[in-house]
Amino acid sequence: MLPNATNLPPRFLRTPEAARFLGLSGRTLEKHRTYGTGPAYRKLGGRVVYSVDDLQAWADRGAVTSTSDPRGSVLPAKRHSPAPQAHSGRFAR
């Protein structure tokens, strides 16, 4: 027998709920999505949703135990410079 869907915990969260789960603003989570620095997300029927497991895993990547630890691997929600491109050997005129 399948459990009633109303009794199941939410498996996917929309942006506002996911942001509250992480303690961030919705706008910050949107910026992370735009810059590719945030948690994994899915598009379901045109809607952006986040798995609770993906949110927790992303937050855990930033865990440190003291201020002397190397910084976690969670980047700030801002544009990061791309890798330098190889020089083509041509000069711009």
Side-chain angles (χ1 to χ4, degrees), residues 29-52:
L29 193 53
E30 289 170 1
K31 286 180 181 180
H32 275 296
R33 190 168 64 239
T34 300
Y35 300 135
T37 58
Y41 66 93
R42 292 161 177 80
K43 296 275 294 219
L44 301 177
R47 293 188 171 119
V48 173
V49 295
Y50 295 88
S51 161
V52 173

Side-chain angles (χ1 to χ4, degrees), residues 12-76:
F12 294 101
L13 304 175
R14 304 273 309 269
T15 300
E17 294 83 16
R20 277 196 298 277
F21 179 86
L22 293 170
L24 302 172
S25 73
R27 183 68 182 123
T28 297
L29 193 53
E30 289 170 1
K31 286 180 181 180
H32 275 296
R33 190 168 64 239
T34 300
Y35 300 135
T37 58
Y41 66 93
R42 292 161 177 80
K43 296 275 294 219
L44 301 177
R47 293 188 171 119
V48 173
V49 295
Y50 295 88
S51 161
V52 173
D53 292 338
D54 288 341
L55 294 171
Q56 189 64 55
W58 181 75
D60 290 345
R61 285 190 357 221
V64 293
T65 57
S66 77
T67 56
S68 63
D69 281 351
R71 200 173 96 162
S73 63
V74 173
L75 297 172

